[in-house]
């Protein structure tokens, strides 16, 4: 959140997710986000986000529709997320997300999809997800070992190795943009 209004809206969204849209877990409908977006900074999320899911399915026009709706509400507080993981779908999605960012003049950020603190915790995470998904240990996790809190150097290396279509200058600018988000925040709890 950027400010007190954003904090109030985030709390309202949380309440809606729990009281009105709970289905196995709290959920926020896209419309609820748009209606309560003032003061909130938004990024386009991981492979499970609306844009990425539609890109993977080949529905670029639908991804653009959602992007335009987000841009109408969040304007300069909307960022397109590029991720450095090695997943085949991420390799497919990142170039399309970058193209959309350039087309709609939306800044990009690079974020590791962090599910555990360090690389050594992958097995623990895999066990926990396997239990939650009621699967065998081998079926837990996400098929890559990059879902921990990566360093800037690790992000740059992964982007260069796995996403060569993303220029180094874009990687550098995207990493800088994360600090821009930090600097927009004028709120303390």
């Amino acid at each position: 959140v950027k400010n007190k209004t954003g904090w109030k809206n985030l709390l309202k969204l949380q309440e809606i997710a729990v009281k009105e849209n709970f289905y196995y877990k709290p959920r926020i409908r896209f419309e609820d986000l748009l209606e309560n977006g003032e003061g909130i900074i938004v990024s386009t999320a991981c492979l499970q986000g609306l844009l990425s899911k539609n890109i993977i399915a080949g529905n670029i026009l639908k991804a653009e529709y959602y992007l335009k709706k987000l841009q109408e509400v969040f304007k300069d507080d909307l960022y397109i997320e590029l991720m450095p993981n090695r997943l085949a779908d991420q390799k497919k999605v990142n170039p399309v997300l970058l193209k959309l960012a350039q087309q709609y003049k939306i800044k990009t950020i690079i974020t590791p999809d962090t599910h555990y603190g360090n690389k050594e915790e992958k097995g623990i995470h895999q066990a926990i997800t396997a239990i939650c998904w009621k699967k065998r240990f081998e079926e837990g996790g996400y098929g890559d070992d990059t879902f921990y809190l990566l360093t800037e150097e690790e992000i740059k290396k992964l982007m260069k190795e796995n996403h060569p279509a993303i220029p180094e200058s874009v990687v550098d600018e995207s990493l800088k943009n994360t600090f821009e988000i930090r600097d927009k925040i004028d709120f303390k709890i």
Side-chain angles (χ1 to χ4, degrees), residues 43-70:
S43 64
T44 56
C46 64
L47 290 174
Q48 294 301 309
L50 284 173
L51 268 66
S52 294
K53 276 183 161 180
N54 280 291
I55 292 168
I56 292 164
N59 297 327
I60 307 298
L61 291 177
K62 197 168 184 182
E64 280 187 79
Y65 166 81
Y66 286 120
L67 184 62
K68 286 185 218 175
K69 289 288 187 187
L70 288 168

Side-chain angles (χ1 to χ4, degrees), residues 126-136 140:
Q126 190 169 344
I128 292 169
T129 54
I131 291 166
C132 290
W133 297 343
K134 297 181 176 148
K135 305 270 185 175
R136 293 187 345 231

Side-chain angles (χ1 to χ4, degrees), residues 2 12 47 49 55 67 76 89 105 121 125 130 140 142 175:
K2 284 174 38 168
K12 184 175 181 182
L47 290 174
I55 292 168
L67 184 62
D76 291 336
D89 281 343
K105 296 177 178 36
E121 294 173 351
H125 178 262
Y142 301 118
L175 289 169

Side-chain angles (χ1 to χ4, degrees), residues 1 6 8-37 40-42 48-50 53 66 70 74:
V1 300
K8 287 179 179 179
N9 281 330
L10 187 63
L11 293 176
K12 184 175 181 182
L13 286 166
Q14 181 181 353
E15 183 177 354
I16 290 169
V18 172
K19 289 184 176 178
E20 297 174 27
N21 299 329
F22 192 93
Y23 183 72
Y24 290 96
K25 61 184 175 183
R27 298 171 188 269
I28 296 173
R29 293 180 321 121
F30 187 70
E31 297 77 16
D32 294 331
L33 178 63
L34 297 179
E35 290 171 16
N36 299 284
I40 295 175
I41 301 167
V42 170
Q48 294 301 309
L50 284 173
K53 276 183 161 180
Y66 286 120
L70 288 168
F74 296 100

Side-chain angles (χ1 to χ4, degrees), residues 84-151:
N85 66 61
R86 299 181 186 103
L87 301 177
D89 281 343
Q90 196 71 57
K91 292 176 183 182
K92 178 181 179 181
V93 164
N94 274 354
V96 179
L97 288 173
L98 178 58
K99 184 178 177 185
L100 290 172
Q102 292 167 337
Q103 181 179 343
Y104 290 97
K105 296 177 178 36
I106 299 170
K107 291 182 179 181
T108 56
I109 56 175
I110 294 181
T111 59
D113 197 354
T114 306
H115 289 263
Y116 41 96
N118 58 57
K119 197 172 193 172
E120 294 72 34
E121 294 173 351
K122 180 185 180 206
I124 296 167
H125 178 262
Q126 190 169 344
I128 292 169
T129 54
I131 291 166
C132 290
W133 297 343
K134 297 181 176 148
K135 305 270 185 175
R136 293 187 345 231
F137 175 79
E138 298 79 29
E139 298 171 300
Y142 301 118
D144 191 13
D145 66 352
T146 61
F147 290 98
Y148 63 95
L149 190 56
L150 299 168
T151 66

Side-chain angles (χ1 to χ4, degrees), residues 79 108-111 173-183:
Y79 294 83
T108 56
I109 56 175
I110 294 181
T111 59
E173 187 64 28
S174 299
L175 289 169
K176 265 195 238 171
N177 288 338
T178 61
F179 293 105
E180 178 180 298
I181 293 170
R182 176 201 63 196
D183 294 340

